[in-house]
């Protein structure tokens, strides 16, 4: 069990381990990593031998009928010529174009193939059913506890993606020719396909956070099943269930399921590329080769996926050496499909001049955590950007250690690790055996190449610590290599109990991942002020509540707090939302409207002294301090009426306070009070607000938003 942490502040004189893992005792990280290193070294010295390759390079000769080849090439060229005109279509047109990209592969689907040299391995029925059972349990658990829950309120900055999803559906945007966000270059809107907005735009669903999360859960389930199939191809059927469990139940995947960010795009497109490569490696299928081009082009529309596309492309080129002439039509169709997929994005999505955004410094991670969660002044975000304190070596080493130990990031819902302990241990075993078998085993080269390609984007971080969220596909190679470690353990340590041991390993991985997400991380990570307030309300009390927010003109960083969308969509029911307009608080108007429960963040209290204004206007007002389970984050509340109210929290998580007992906690000492007092506290005119802000300022009901 990890020790309780604290909200850290970066110190220039901090030691190496304190910089990598701030707020956590150094002995805790050292003991964990030392024990893991000793176990991996012992295992590598005694059992370092990867299983014999399941996939071998077949000698294949594809007999492509002339009419099928001509149809495939004609379809590919037609798509290429139609790509520039895609800018003039909306959601329906771009969705049809994405589907049409795979027409050449469909024309080559039933081409007869003569292949020799491919090997297969029969597997027990129990091994075939185990991955399906793992995925079914995860989906049921996610639908019961994750979809529509309050976990999304912790990932505050990811609510920007939810606002983008609402705007995309409202304008019926284009998946390929538009940006995911107007301020993010080189990222097309294609990830919305796996989140639901295209279907909202076509009237096939109601825009909501639950709908978005449901789409993501189902696509992650598809990725888990596909990963199990890929694992069976590489390592045999027994480790397949473990690979699915370690992927789906990890804290890394948990963030993808609950947040509105487009991270689900990474694992889905990675397994799609690997399935196409597996099909081609087994049978030299022309359809698989023709489909890989559009898949690679679509995946490349997400910048972090470009190394993955390059790695899979190199493996395809290696396999093409023996079948190059026989499959010339298929690879030409695939190449044309690749260009057709990326061509619509060149006019409005790609901007090499704006690519420096990925290298810009966003601020100190500790300061961003505090300010975004509402636990400190919003001006702390600007203070965190004053000095760029990134160290390239720290970020690189942190990225390499990420599968084993990760820095606590409250807005990422990540504690001390992003994978369960068993996965981390077996990943270390699999990594050691793969390196040992690198020269002899093509599977080892494939898995290591995929891991390195997925980890590369994390070597550049916008904060002073590693941010592995850029490695959107990392969970796929980690689960695959961990399954290789499990296969080696089964072969060397328990050969007579291979099937039950594999099933027990999958069960332990699932249980430990669930324990991390729901029993460990909530007690070591801070929640957002908005999330604590929503948790404290019963569904029938939502009509009484109002959450206060900064005025728009207070500071430009106010737009990153996304209080409006969270109050509308994160809770069981929508909650009222009001921007502070100055010292005059409309108490009587609130009471006439039945709004007698008021919540505000510690940051707002620090900057605008809300409690002082309330106490001056409502003598004898009842004030509450509400805390999260970790006692790191809190929110202030006031009951303006005489009606009794108690928060729906455990007794130790809330208390009554007097008007003079509201402290200004987490005050940034570097921010002078004169700046706070002189800050503009009146909202700007609605016409001057950007589209995101207009949406946030709408009344807090789902229909109005």
């Amino acid at each position: 069990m990890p020790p309780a942490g604290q909200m850290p502040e970066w110190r220039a004189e901090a030691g190496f381990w304190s910089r990598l893992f701030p707020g956590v005792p150094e002995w805790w990280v050292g003991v964990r990593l030392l024990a893991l290193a000793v176990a991996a070294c012992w295992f590598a010295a005694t059992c370092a031998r990867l299983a014999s390759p399941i996939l071998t390079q077949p000698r294949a000769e594809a007999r492509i009928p002339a009419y099928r080849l001509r149809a495939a090439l004609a379809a590919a060229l037609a798509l290429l010529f139609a790509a520039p005109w895609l800018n003039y279509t909306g959601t329906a047109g771009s969705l049809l174009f994405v589907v049409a990209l795979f027409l050449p592969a469909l024309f080559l689907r039933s081409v007869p193939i003569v292949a020799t040299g491919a090997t297969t391995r029969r597997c027990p029925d129990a091994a075939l059913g185990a991955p399906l059972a793992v995925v079914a349990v995860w989906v049921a658990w996610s639908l019961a506890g994750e979809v529509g829950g309050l976990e999304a309120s912790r990932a505050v900055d990811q609510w920007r993606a939810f606002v983008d999803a609402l705007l995309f559906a409202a304008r019926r945007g284009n998946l390929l020719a538009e940006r995911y966000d107007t301020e993010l270059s080189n990222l097309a809107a294609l990830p919305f396909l796996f989140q639901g907005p295209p279907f909202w735009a076509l009237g096939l669903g109601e825009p909501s956070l639950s709908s978005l999360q449901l789409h993501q859960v189902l696509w992650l389930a598809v990725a888990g099943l596909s990963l199990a199939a890929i694992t069976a191809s590489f390592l045999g059927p027994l480790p397949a269930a473990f690979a699915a469990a370690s992927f789906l139940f990890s804290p890394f995947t948990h963030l993808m399921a609950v947040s509105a960010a487009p991270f689900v795009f990474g694992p889905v497109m990675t397994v799609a590329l690997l399935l196409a490569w597996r099909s081609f490696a087994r049978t030299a299928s022309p359809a698989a080769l023709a489909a890989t081009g559009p898949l690679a082009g679509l995946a490349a529309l997400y910048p972090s996926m470009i190394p993955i596309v390059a790695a899979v492309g190199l493996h395809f080129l290696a396999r093409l050496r023996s079948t190059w002439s026989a499959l010339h039509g298929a690879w030409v169709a695939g190449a044309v499909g690749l260009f057709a997929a990326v061509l619509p994005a060149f006019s409005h999505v790609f901007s090499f001049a704006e690519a420096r955004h990925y290298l810009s410094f966003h601020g100190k991670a500790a300061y961003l955590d505090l300010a975004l969660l509402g636990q400190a002044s919003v001006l702390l975000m600007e203070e965190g950007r004053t000095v760029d304190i990134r160290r390239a070596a720290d970020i690189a080493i942190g990225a390499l250690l990420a599968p084993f130990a990760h820095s606590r990031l409250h807005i990422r819902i990540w504690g001390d690790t992003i994978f369960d302990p068993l996965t981390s241990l077996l990943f270390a075993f699999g990594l050691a055996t793969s390196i040992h078998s690198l020269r002899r085993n093509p599977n080892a080269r494939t898995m290591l190449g995929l891991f390195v390609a997925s980890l590369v984007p994390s070597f550049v971080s916008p904060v002073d610590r590693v941010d592995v969220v850029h490695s959107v596909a990392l969970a796929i190679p980690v689960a695959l290599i961990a399954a290789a470690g499990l296969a080696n353990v089964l072969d060397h340590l328990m050969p007579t109990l291979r099937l039950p041991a594999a099933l027990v390993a999958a069960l332990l991985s699932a249980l430990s991942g669930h324990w991390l997400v729901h029993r460990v991380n909530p007690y070591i990570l801070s929640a957002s002020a908005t999330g604590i307030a929503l948790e404290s309300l019963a569904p029938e009390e939502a009509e009484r509540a109002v959450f206060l927010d900064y005025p728009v003109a207070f500071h430009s960083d106010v737009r990153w707090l996304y209080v409006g969308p969270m109050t509308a969509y994160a809770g069981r029911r929508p909650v009222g939302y009001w921007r502070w307009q100055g010292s005059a608080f409309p108490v009587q108007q609130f009471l006439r409207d039945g709004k007698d429960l008021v919540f505000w963040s510690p940051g707002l209290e620090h900057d605008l002294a809300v409690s002082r204004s309330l106490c001056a206007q409502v003598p004898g007002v009842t004030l509450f301090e509400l805390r999260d389970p970790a006692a790191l984050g809190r929110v202030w509340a006031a009951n303006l009426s005489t009606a009794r109210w108690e928060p729906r929290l455990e007794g130790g998580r809330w208390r009554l306070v007097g008007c003079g007992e509201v402290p200004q906690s987490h005050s940034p000492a570097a921010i002078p009070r004169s700046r706070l007092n002189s800050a503009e506290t009146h909202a700007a005119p609605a016409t001057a607000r950007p589209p995101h802000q207009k949406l946030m300022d709408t009344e807090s009901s789902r229909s109005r938003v």
Side-chain angles (χ1 to χ4, degrees):
M1 293 298 296
Q6 56 184 356
M7 286 291 197
E9 287 196 14
W10 189 89
R11 294 178 291 110
E13 68 278 7
F16 174 73
W17 291 108
S18 296
R19 295 197 306 270
L20 286 185
F21 307 102
V24 182
E26 295 183 13
W27 65 266
W28 164 248
V29 180
V31 168
R32 287 184 55 223
L33 293 179
L34 179 62
L36 190 66
V38 170
C41 291
W42 170 83
F43 191 83
T46 56
C47 308
R49 182 178 60 83
L50 198 63
S52 59
I54 304 301
L55 285 176
T56 60
Q57 185 171 355
R59 299 175 182 176
E61 180 181 354
R63 300 169 183 172
I64 306 178
Y67 74 95
R68 284 184 175 272
L69 181 58
R70 286 195 293 267
L73 293 176
L77 291 174
L79 289 167
L80 182 63
F81 287 120
W85 302 98
L86 194 66
N87 296 322
Y88 301 100
T89 65
T91 302
S94 60
L95 189 59
L96 288 174
F97 186 84
V98 170
V99 175
L101 285 172
F102 299 95
L103 279 177
L106 183 63
F107 288 135
L108 301 175
R109 177 67 180 85
S110 57
V111 171
I113 299 172
V114 178
T116 60
T119 62
T120 58
R121 180 180 294 179
R122 295 183 61 83
C123 57
D125 293 339
L128 290 174
L132 185 60
V134 167
V135 173
V137 169
W138 180 80
V139 170
W141 164 64
S142 298
L143 295 181
E146 303 300 325
V147 173
L150 294 175
E151 284 291 297
S153 65
R154 293 174 178 261
V156 177
D157 58 332
Q158 306 306 324
W159 278 84
R160 173 174 182 161
F162 183 71
V163 175
D164 290 330
L166 295 176
L167 294 174
F168 179 89
R171 69 174 183 269
R172 297 187 178 182
N174 191 302
L175 289 169
L176 298 179
E178 293 185 10
R179 295 182 178 183
Y180 189 92
D181 184 282
T182 56
E183 298 182 20
L184 293 178
S185 64
N186 305 325
L187 177 58
L190 183 63
F192 283 135
L193 180 61
F194 306 112
Q195 297 182 286
F199 305 100
W200 305 343
L202 298 176
L204 301 178
E206 181 183 356
S208 68
L209 178 65
S210 298
S211 174
L212 183 141
Q213 291 174 330
L214 177 62
H215 280 84
Q216 295 184 153
V217 165
L218 295 179
W219 278 109
L220 287 171
V222 172
L225 280 175
S226 303
L227 176 61
I230 294 166
T231 304
S233 299
F234 275 82
L235 306 165
L238 290 181
F242 173 81
S246 64
F247 165 68
L248 291 173
F249 285 90
S250 67
F252 190 89
T253 305
H254 172 70
L255 174 67
M256 297 183 179
V258 301
S259 77
F263 304 141
V264 67
F265 184 83
V268 171
M269 294 304 295
T270 300
V271 296
L273 287 168
L274 289 178
L275 284 175
W277 178 79
R278 184 191 71 154
S279 177
F280 181 72
R282 276 180 161 180
T283 62
S285 167
L289 184 57
T292 302
L295 282 175
L298 295 176
L301 297 178
Y302 197 115
S304 296
M305 287 294 296
I306 293 177
I308 300 285
V309 172
V312 175
L314 290 175
H315 280 84
F316 263 97
L317 292 177
R319 295 287 185 179
L320 271 174
R321 287 181 300 178
S322 62
T323 56
W324 184 270
S325 58
L327 298 175
H328 63 279
W331 67 257
V332 169
V336 174
L338 186 151
F339 285 107
V342 300
L343 189 59
F346 273 101
S347 57
H348 297 95
V349 177
F350 292 141
S351 174
F352 296 103
E354 298 179 14
R356 64 181 183 275
H357 172 78
Y358 295 100
L359 304 177
S360 62
F361 184 62
H362 294 178
K364 306 173 187 177
Y367 285 14
L368 294 179
D369 259 348
L370 284 170
L372 288 174
L373 294 173
Q375 303 303 329
S377 167
V378 71
L379 299 179
L380 196 60
M381 297 174 66
E382 180 184 350
E383 181 66 22
R385 288 191 292 266
T386 54
V387 180
D388 190 337
I389 53 176
R390 288 176 296 182
R391 302 187 183 187
D394 289 2
I395 294 173
I397 295 174
L400 294 173
L401 292 176
F404 314 107
H406 193 277
S407 175
R408 293 181 183 179
L409 284 176
H410 305 266
I411 58 174
R412 296 287 181 257
I413 328 178
W414 289 341
D416 297 310
T417 178
I418 57 177
F419 299 103
D420 68 89
L422 184 59
T423 295
S424 298
L425 177 67
L426 292 176
F427 173 74
F429 289 174
L431 199 62
T433 55
S434 298
I435 294 174
H436 187 272
S437 308
L438 192 60
R439 292 184 178 180
R440 304 185 303 273
N441 196 312
N443 284 355
R445 294 192 291 272
T446 300
M447 292 188 295
L448 285 176
L450 188 66
F451 170 65
V452 173
S454 67
L455 196 62
V456 163
S458 292
F459 290 127
V460 177
S461 175
V463 294
D464 56 318
R465 285 184 249 160
V466 63
D467 190 4
V468 187
V469 76
H470 294 297
S471 296
V472 289
L474 181 64
I476 298 297
V478 167
L480 192 57
I481 295 176
L486 175 63
N488 217 356
V489 169
L490 298 178
D491 290 341
H492 289 86
L493 301 183
M494 46 189 71
T496 60
L497 299 173
R498 298 178 78 250
L499 178 57
L503 297 179
V504 169
L507 178 62
L508 290 177
S509 177
L511 291 177
S512 58
H514 181 276
W515 183 265
L516 277 174
V517 169
H518 292 282
R519 293 294 182 268
V520 174
N521 287 350
Y523 292 91
I524 62 175
L525 299 177
S526 173
S528 69
T530 310
I532 302 171
L534 295 175
E535 184 186 2
S536 68
L537 290 169
E540 62 275 8
E541 295 171 341
E543 295 293 333
R544 301 172 55 188
V546 175
F547 201 98
L548 306 183
D549 193 14
Y550 287 91
V552 175
F554 182 82
H555 193 272
S556 60
D557 284 329
V558 167
R559 67 193 182 105
W560 290 105
L561 301 181
Y562 294 103
V563 176
M566 279 194 283
T567 55
Y569 289 94
R572 302 174 184 90
R573 292 183 182 177
V575 171
Y577 166 67
W578 189 78
R579 287 191 177 277
W580 187 263
Q581 303 296 325
S583 58
F585 187 78
V587 175
Q588 297 304 320
Q589 179 65 42
F590 272 40
L591 292 176
R592 282 195 297 268
D593 294 339
K595 308 291 186 182
D596 59 346
L597 298 178
V598 179
F599 298 86
W600 66 98
S601 68
L604 193 68
E605 172 65 27
H606 174 267
D607 291 341
L608 300 178
V610 176
S611 63
R612 187 187 310 165
S613 176
L614 284 177
C615 290
Q617 297 183 60
V618 187
V621 63
T622 306
L623 300 181
F624 299 83
E625 181 190 41
L626 315 179
R627 290 184 174 272
D628 60 17
L632 293 175
R634 59 182 167 183
V635 68
W636 300 107
N639 185 357
L640 304 180
S641 69
T642 57
R644 180 177 174 81
W645 177 74
E646 284 192 1
R648 290 190 61 188
L649 302 173
E650 298 86 353
R653 291 182 52 192
W654 67 275
R655 67 185 181 96
L656 294 172
V657 295
C659 282
E661 300 179 37
V662 181
Q664 297 177 351
S665 61
H666 299 308
S667 301
I671 301 178
R673 287 300 306 180
S674 58
R675 283 188 55 188
L676 301 180
N677 296 332
S678 63
E680 180 63 50
T681 59
H682 297 285
T687 55
R689 302 177 193 174
H692 286 56
Q693 203 64 57
K694 291 180 183 179
L695 180 64
M696 290 169 58
D697 287 344
T698 55
E699 290 185 15
S700 200
S701 69
R702 288 186 171 92
S703 58
R704 291 295 298 272
V705 172

